[in-house]
Amino acid sequence: MATQISSNWKRLKATLSSKDAAAAAPAAAPAADKPWFDGVPKADIVHTKTELVLPGATSELTKYVALDCEMVGVGSDGETSMLARVSVVNYHGGVIYDTFVGAKEYVTDFRTEWSGVRRKDIHGAPSFEEVQKRIAEILKGRILVGHALSNDFKVLLLSHPRKQIRDTARYKPFRVQNGGRTPALRKLTLKHLGLTIQKGEHSSIDDARAAMALFRMHRAEWERGLKERFLQRIGKGKPAAGAALAKGRAGATAQADDGYDDDDDDD
């Protein structure tokens, strides 16, 4: 019996010693999230379902910002759109500004099924004038990203220099992939990012982030194309393969200037 107890005690001591050694060993340091900033090589980016907001994102203003608005209906038939919410995110997807907007007119259709806006949301919200002023301040001197931005400008009663606009609804490669028609943001997001958005009520934050994520993915070729067209226009660049550099380039249409089509179909 003494031999059996001694043997068991030795095995127990060995087990305890092994556990103590493991506990004393330094723990492996957790992998730190690498912050993503402007200029990240495209080859280093692997798009996943978490990339609407990049690791390290803050609320700082960046060179590129994305904007999206939600509208409600006013007038007897509720067909006229009025601003009810606006969101702005930075290059990394961090929220810079997000607010509901007080109604200037009586709302006859909240369009909640799509807008996600309810009467309680706009009650006591900042005035249109206050929001409009803040948005203008944010956009000044920055490159604006979004989807079908003409609709947002219309309800904001604002404009922005065309050369500083990157509209995913009018970007030619996206339209070509969609048979020449303007693709819906939800389709672009699913096709390029593997994400599903706009299932039910919309979120202006999610939509702005989706537009920015699409731009980030194609930023290099998008900006390169704009630069090449500019150089062609002033006669210093090489025309695209198989294309003749037309004379009188200065009188070319805006479509040729920025690579956008003007058809606003949304399919």
Side-chain angles (χ1 to χ4, degrees):
M1 177 66 73
T3 303
Q4 182 178 354
I5 292 175
S6 176
S7 176
N8 289 341
W9 173 242
K10 288 181 180 179
R11 284 198 295 269
L12 178 59
K13 286 182 65 176
T15 301
L16 291 174
S17 297
S18 176
K19 289 182 177 180
D20 289 342
D33 285 336
K34 179 183 177 182
W36 295 77
F37 300 103
D38 292 2
V40 174
K42 183 181 176 186
D44 292 346
I45 300 177
V46 178
H47 288 270
T48 69
K49 290 189 176 182
T50 63
E51 275 207 354
L52 286 187
V53 185
L54 298 181
T58 66
S59 59
E60 67 176 335
L61 277 169
T62 50
K63 175 182 178 181
Y64 297 93
V65 297
L67 174 146
D68 188 74
C69 297
E70 300 296 347
M71 297 86 156
V72 293
V74 298
S76 59
D77 56 4
E79 292 296 319
T80 302
S81 293
M82 183 181 71
L83 181 67
R85 183 184 180 186
V86 57
S87 304
V88 183
V89 304
N90 62 22
Y91 184 78
H92 319 295
V95 177
I96 297 171
Y97 186 70
D98 174 49
T99 185
F100 288 101
V101 185
K104 297 187 67 174
E105 301 180 43
Y106 183 77
V107 179
T108 51
D109 184 358
F110 279 88
R111 307 174 184 173
T112 305
E113 182 180 354
W114 299 280
S115 71
V117 179
R118 294 165 174 78
R119 188 174 299 278
K120 65 180 178 63
D121 295 325
I122 63 174
H123 180 70
S127 69
F128 172 82
E129 291 76 14
E130 180 182 343
V131 172
Q132 181 193 50
K133 179 181 179 181
R134 180 61 180 136
I135 292 297
E137 291 171 349
I138 292 173
L139 300 188
K140 186 175 181 180
R142 304 188 189 283
I143 295 178
L144 178 61
V145 178
H147 188 84
L149 284 166
S150 60
N151 297 325
D152 301 306
F153 291 145
K154 188 180 297 183
V155 294
L156 283 163
L157 301 181
L158 291 173
S159 61
H160 199 64
R162 185 158 184 165
K163 291 182 180 180
Q164 293 180 315
I165 292 175
R166 307 291 184 266
D167 195 327
T168 56
R170 301 175 59 204
Y171 183 47
K172 278 187 176 180
F174 290 162
R175 295 173 68 96
V176 169
Q177 294 170 8
N178 200 48
R181 294 173 60 83
T182 304
L185 180 60
R186 67 182 182 278
K187 292 185 178 180
L188 287 174
T189 304
L190 181 60
K191 178 180 177 66
H192 293 269
L193 304 176
L195 291 168
T196 300
I197 62 170
Q198 299 180 345
K199 290 188 67 176
E201 298 178 9
H202 294 194
S203 164
S204 49
I205 291 179
D206 286 349
D207 290 355
R209 283 172 167 167
M212 182 61 83
L214 288 164
F215 174 72
R216 284 198 309 262
M217 175 179 278
H218 297 276
R219 173 185 167 184
E221 56 265 40
W222 197 323
E223 297 295 349
R224 183 169 56 247
L226 292 175
K227 181 178 180 180
E228 290 174 352
R229 278 186 289 275
F230 172 75
L231 292 176
Q232 289 175 16
R233 188 167 67 253
I234 63 176
K236 293 185 178 181
K238 297 180 180 179
L245 186 60
K247 294 181 179 180
R249 194 71 181 194
T253 63
Q255 175 180 330
D257 288 347
D258 60 13
Y260 292 150
D261 287 332
D262 290 321
D263 179 14
D264 287 328
D265 294 338
D266 194 357
D267 183 30

